[in-house]
Amino acid sequence: MKRGGSEDPASPEMPPPPKRVPSNLDLRFAPGYDNILDLALRVRQPENRLTEFSGECVVGTMHMTVKSALMTMAEKHIRFLPLVSDGGEVVEAVDVSDICNFLVRGVGNAAGKEMLESAESLLALPVLEAASFSGRNQFKVLEVEGPRATLRDAAFLLMRQSKRVVMVKEGRPVGVISRGHLMKVFGDKIQQSALKSVRLDKAGLGNTDVKSIPDAATVLEGFRMMAEHNISSVVVTGSQGSGPAILSTSDIKMLTWPHGTNVLALPIHKALAIKFMALPVAMVPCISCTLTSTVGEVASRLEATKVHRIVVIDPVDQRVHAIISILDVLLSLHDSASSNVFG
């Protein structure tokens, strides 16, 4: 493959559709969009023990490279990867934001061939360098048979301490609980609360300091903007699409395509067009609502589509007013006067 940002690489081969694993009570807990156990079918009670959900867990090793970690995340449709020692114990973890920031800072202001070669070199480094790069203590290990190992405990760590929850049994990882999983468990409580009918223009949800970038900008420029502002997504603006688009830190997984690091030099609109064509049918690239939508409607759409955020459009001028994440919705439930589900 010829390097260089001035030439468009050939279109990637279309990946095969993912194998779907039916949700049933024998599957237990398994990570990934297409094989997550539907927690809502299993239990809706936050007091239930985490032993209910232990089972398979996708992990990486402390010896793998950054590129290998990205390939694992892309294959399993995950954003967070626990890293284990030779003895199988969790010693560190890495998420897509870590790798995105690691590459942006490592590449610096390099451009063209120098930038691509620098990115290739960074991908070949041990993943532990990216995992420790952010300096964050971003995950918490919970022993599934310990005294404080319920869904309520996991929710508290995720919502109030911003930590991912890695479930372990006798020191070995047996599952990861994410905010998306909690939305499945607690989503019905939103529909039963007074929040259900509150309109977004009255709810005060989400981030209204939305950062945007032209769709003609490169993917690397988008990642640089996210690193600079310490955010996980930017709104893509321009005339190339028919609606709002999002570039997020999860899109760092595009580097596992046949394009390789050449993706960084692609215009954002072209990279997202390739990505959307390759997505499984069940995965939605970007969803939006208006200020007249209700919190209940937003919660239902986030849970149904399995996306992490929704774009709020002002119906008057059709501009992006805010971005609402799963975390925003769950925190609104916690902060409501009628609910204290997270302890």
Side-chain angles (χ1 to χ4, degrees):
M1 179 183 295
K2 187 175 181 179
R3 298 181 184 274
S6 61
E7 296 184 11
D8 289 339
S11 298
E13 297 179 3
M14 195 70 73
K19 296 181 180 179
R20 296 194 173 276
V21 179
S23 294
N24 56 63
L25 298 183
D26 295 326
L27 183 59
R28 293 291 191 265
F29 189 98
Y33 283 118
D34 294 300
N35 59 348
I36 289 175
L37 170 62
D38 186 352
L39 298 181
L41 292 179
R42 182 96 173 145
V43 65
R44 292 279 186 170
Q45 298 303 315
E47 292 79 13
N48 274 74
R49 306 287 300 174
L50 293 181
T51 49
E52 297 276 343
F53 313 109
S54 60
E56 178 187 354
C57 182
V58 176
V59 297
T61 72
M62 56 191 297
H63 305 295
M64 70 193 319
T65 64
V66 176
K67 185 173 184 178
S68 295
L70 273 181
M71 292 181 68
T72 299
M73 291 179 179
E75 179 185 351
K76 299 298 183 180
H77 305 294
I78 55 178
R79 299 157 48 91
F80 174 82
L81 186 67
L83 303 175
V84 299
S85 66
D86 293 337
E89 296 183 349
V90 179
V91 293
E92 189 53 274
V94 65
D95 67 13
V96 289
S97 294
D98 291 328
I99 296 178
C100 186
N101 292 336
F102 176 68
L103 285 176
V104 167
R105 304 289 173 82
V107 167
N109 295 321
K113 182 178 180 180
E114 181 185 356
M115 179 272 290
L116 296 173
E117 291 178 344
S118 177
E120 288 282 2
S121 298
L122 290 166
L123 289 177
L125 291 175
V127 70
L128 282 179
E129 295 197 23
S132 59
F133 183 78
S134 63
R136 290 179 297 148
N137 181 16
Q138 63 176 357
F139 72 99
K140 176 71 173 179
V141 171
L142 278 184
E143 172 62 54
V144 296
E145 296 180 349
R148 292 189 59 83
T150 67
L151 283 177
R152 188 186 298 276
D153 297 318
F156 176 81
L157 290 169
L158 280 164
M159 299 302 103
R160 288 308 184 188
Q161 296 188 19
S162 298
K163 295 181 185 291
R164 304 291 180 92
V165 177
V166 180
M167 299 184 294
V168 300
K169 183 175 182 180
E170 298 177 353
R172 303 298 178 90
V174 292
V176 174
I177 293 184
S178 72
R179 292 163 184 165
H181 302 151
L182 294 183
M183 179 63 85
K184 284 183 172 293
V185 176
F186 297 107
D188 62 337
K189 295 186 180 297
I190 295 175
Q191 306 305 331
Q192 297 167 7
S193 72
L195 285 172
K196 176 182 178 180
S197 57
V198 177
R199 289 187 4 167
L200 297 183
D201 54 2
K202 305 294 183 183
L205 282 182
N207 175 26
T208 56
D209 184 20
V210 178
K211 303 300 180 185
S212 61
I213 190 168
D215 59 9
T218 66
V219 171
L220 178 58
E221 289 171 328
F223 290 154
R224 281 174 173 160
M225 177 176 286
M226 287 183 268
E228 177 184 354
H229 295 282
N230 193 28
I231 53 180
S232 60
S233 65
V234 291
V235 173
V236 181
T237 61
S239 59
Q240 298 291 339
S242 57
I246 291 286
L247 182 75
S248 76
T249 51
S250 283
D251 291 318
I252 195 71
K253 291 183 285 188
M254 292 191 295
L255 297 185
T256 63
W257 293 353
H259 290 77
T261 54
N262 282 291
V263 168
L264 296 172
L266 283 178
I268 295 174
H269 71 84
K270 184 164 186 176
L272 291 183
I274 297 172
K275 170 188 170 182
F276 296 161
M277 286 190 297
L279 282 175
V281 175
M283 295 175 65
V284 180
C286 180
I287 59 174
S288 62
C289 63
T290 70
L291 280 169
T292 59
S293 302
T294 66
V295 176
E297 291 168 345
V298 168
S300 294
R301 294 197 66 191
L302 286 171
E303 182 178 350
T305 57
K306 300 187 180 78
V307 299
H308 296 273
R309 57 186 67 82
I310 186 169
V311 176
V312 183
I313 306 295
D314 189 323
V316 177
D317 57 18
Q318 295 300 306
R319 293 185 178 181
V320 175
H321 173 78
I323 296 178
I324 295 178
S325 68
I326 289 177
L327 176 60
D328 295 324
V329 175
L330 290 173
L331 284 178
S332 71
L333 174 63
H334 176 273
D335 295 336
S336 66
S338 60
S339 177
N340 188 27
V341 296
F342 303 138

